[in-house]
Amino acid sequence: MSRNNARRRPAISSTSPCPCGLEATYGECCARFHQGQAAAPTPERLMRSRYSAFAAGDAPYLLRTWHRVTRPPHLEFEPAQRWTGLEIVTTTGGSAFHSEGTVRFRAHYTLDGEPGVQEEHSRFVRDEGVWVYLGEL
């Protein structure tokens, strides 16, 4: 998910199924995080909302939820890449009592019509009380 350009993809409708894979519409699920109306309450929810942001081409949200120490200066989206599904494999930590958490996931996509998968074990930390993506373990 790191090779991407700041052009937005077509907007996901608030009534569309949420790209993150939870059984809710985008408007009921990740849209509130993307629009700044709420912060993701756990690393898993942040991972899901970030995946949805990749699917939507929402670079500002991705940069906003990336720890300032590891955040790139900009993102570029691959125009021919479409995100097609997210699997959460395992999570650790991330409760109201934790300051760190991890999420191991598989992000499925197609690129030029060919299927692919990105697997990552991601680390999340609380920064000023808000969960942010720190990087890959």
Side-chain angles (χ1 to χ4, degrees), residues 1-10 53-63 72-79:
M1 284 193 257
S2 61
R3 186 174 171 239
N4 297 311
N5 89 17
R7 285 182 295 188
R8 285 188 169 270
R9 296 182 183 208
F54 272 102
D58 189 346
Y61 178 76
L62 291 164
L63 293 170
H74 65 279
L75 292 176
E76 293 186 13
F77 295 103
E78 173 60 58

Side-chain angles (χ1 to χ4, degrees), residues 117-135:
V117 64
Q118 176 181 334
E119 295 188 47
E120 185 175 310
H121 193 183
S122 298
R123 183 172 173 210
F124 298 85
V125 295
R126 284 192 199 267
D127 185 32
E128 299 180 10
V130 178
W131 288 109
V132 293
Y133 172 73
L134 185 60

